[in-house]
Amino acid sequence: MTKEQVLRTLQAHPDAFVSGEALSRELSVSRTAVWKAVDQLRQEGYPIESVPRRGHRLASGSDVLSAEGIRRYLAHDALEVRFFPTISSTNTVLRQMALENAPAGLALVAGEQTAGRGRLGRSFFSPARSGLYLSLLLRPDTPAAESTLLTSCAAVAVAEAIESLAHVQPRIKWVNDLLLNGKKICGILTEAGLDCETGRMSYVVIGIGINTRPPEGDFPEALSPIAGSAFGDLPIPDLRNRLAAQVLDRLLDYAANPGSDRLFEKYRDRLMVLGKPILILSPGRDPVPALALDLERDYGLRVRDEKGVEQVLHSGEISIRVQDA
Ligand code: BTN
């Protein structure tokens, strides 16, 4: 496809002019075909500058999210990616599709959410251009309790994807937030549908929201002390397409064996709470100070309260605040 080839060539020479003649020679297509391709790419939002006698150049900071763009980097053929410039919530829409028999491996990716949802009924700030919002549908046919493991798969997948692109090391705040420099850069919301007869999951929707860049006009006041961006101003061309592909590929790999020791070790290594004082937060109750001791093999967090009583926390309604993050 000429458009794809033109894009790839311009991406290989960020910020440099490539002449129409060179493009048509290299891709063995007419100059008119090159013009058409450039025009289509510009309509899709790619910041391509065209100057007579010099050619076309793509700004190195270009970050246009699209299904085609993601597919370019994707290793798993079985994934079907659908892109929405704006959507209410990728989780809400994908859950509806799941009920209408959409197949496992369907991923919805959005550039913006108008009703992004977080855990415990919270909303998730999902502005345009500075984040990646995606949900993946799986049908694992396993007991409902295993949906927690899939959240852990997602946490590790996202942390590794960010690390491979930016060479930074996001940490996991139990149970499913990713933090960088003490600020939340990613949240994960896993929602499952249950087959009541078998007690097994009929579908799981794993929703991931990543703050890729500082939002235009910054985070809302309530979020700015706690929210950060994974990539700041790091120049990474085609960032969100590459990030989405890496996250989906890694997530599918881990989800094929979510109970693995390998995943558990990776999750535990990135956990930032162990040995730290925390507050246990449950709805309708005062925060309880405790010490985070260790991660159980089922991903429960073993804690000791101030009276010396130990218990294991499981995600559900509970969240924690780390005292000296
Ligand atoms: C949390 O931090 O509490 C979880 C946030 C999960 C946000 C993602 S963005 C994509 C998907 N769609 C949603 O509405 N929520 C998840």
Side-chain angles (χ1 to χ4, degrees):
M1 230 164 91
T2 310
K3 188 179 74 175
E4 291 291 296
Q5 292 169 314
V6 167
L7 180 60
R8 230 168 282 147
T9 310
L10 294 180
Q11 280 174 334
H13 305 90
D15 289 327
F17 280 102
V18 183
S19 73
E21 194 189 333
L23 280 166
S24 86
R25 208 177 36 233
E26 195 175 314
L27 308 177
S28 308
V29 295
S30 69
R31 296 279 294 272
T32 317
V34 169
W35 260 108
K36 271 194 190 151
V38 167
D39 210 45
Q40 281 173 358
L41 289 167
R42 211 178 280 121
Q43 278 174 30
E44 284 173 22
Y46 286 91
I48 300 176
E49 187 187 355
S50 301
V51 175
R53 284 184 295 281
R54 297 190 74 186
H56 314 278
R57 77 169 167 189
L58 176 65
S60 57
S62 117
D63 186 16
V64 182
L65 196 51
S66 70
E68 252 171 41
I70 295 168
R71 243 174 263 128
R72 212 177 296 131
Y73 301 103
L74 211 54
H76 280 275
D77 290 338
L79 276 165
E80 187 196 341
V81 178
R82 291 194 206 162
F83 173 68
F84 298 79
T86 300
I87 198 170
S88 54
S89 149
T90 52
N91 262 41
T92 306
V93 173
L94 192 53
R95 281 178 72 182
Q96 186 55 42
M97 290 176 163
L99 294 174
E100 290 158 8
N101 288 327
L106 175 61
L108 304 189
V109 180
E112 175 184 24
Q113 295 184 123
T114 52
R117 296 187 293 110
R119 283 182 68 229
L120 311 177
R122 299 187 190 118
S123 61
F124 187 78
F125 180 59
S126 316
R129 287 176 290 280
S130 58
L132 174 66
Y133 319 105
L134 63 84
S135 300
L136 174 66
L137 173 63
L138 295 177
R139 296 190 182 274
D141 191 29
T142 50
E146 288 198 9
S147 66
T148 320
L149 296 182
L150 293 170
T151 304
S152 311
C153 292
V156 174
V158 175
E160 289 185 344
I162 292 173
E163 184 168 341
S164 85
L165 289 166
H167 310 289
V168 292
Q169 289 198 318
R171 311 294 309 276
I172 299 172
K173 184 187 141 237
W174 189 88
V175 56
N176 59 358
D177 289 346
L178 289 191
L179 273 69
L180 188 64
N181 305 322
K183 293 198 162 180
K184 174 164 167 174
I185 55 167
C186 167
I188 299 163
L189 175 65
T190 303
E191 299 180 291
L194 196 65
D195 180 330
C196 294
E197 299 208 336
T198 61
R200 298 171 98 77
M201 292 183 276
S202 55
Y203 72 82
V204 180
V205 167
I206 307 168
I208 298 172
I210 306 172
N211 308 327
T212 52
R213 304 287 191 189
E216 287 154 26
D218 218 340
F219 288 101
E221 214 175 299
L223 291 182
S224 68
I226 48 172
S229 70
F231 299 93
D233 295 326
L234 261 186
I236 304 176
D238 219 9
L239 171 64
R240 287 177 301 164
N241 286 329
R242 292 165 71 184
L243 179 63
Q246 284 230 17
V247 167
L248 290 169
D249 274 335
R250 289 171 191 269
L251 177 52
L252 268 200
D253 286 343
Y254 287 124
N257 190 3
S260 75
D261 291 342
R262 180 168 153 259
L263 178 77
F264 178 77
E265 295 304 331
K266 288 183 171 203
Y267 182 96
R268 193 176 181 282
D269 284 351
R270 289 191 184 265
L271 208 53
M272 57 165 294
V273 294
L274 300 185
K276 294 200 171 156
I278 60 167
L279 285 178
I280 305 170
L281 310 169
S282 7
R285 295 181 54 188
D286 288 339
V288 179
L291 183 68
L293 297 175
D294 204 355
L295 188 70
E296 298 289 301
R297 190 58 184 78
D298 67 353
Y299 291 80
L301 186 65
R302 176 168 291 282
V303 300
R304 188 193 307 128
D305 70 16
E306 288 178 326
K307 293 188 193 117
V309 178
E310 287 189 16
Q311 61 170 315
V312 178
L313 306 179
H314 291 279
S315 54
E317 290 281 283
I318 292 173
S319 59
I320 61 166
R321 188 178 309 143
V322 185
Q323 301 278 56
D324 61 350

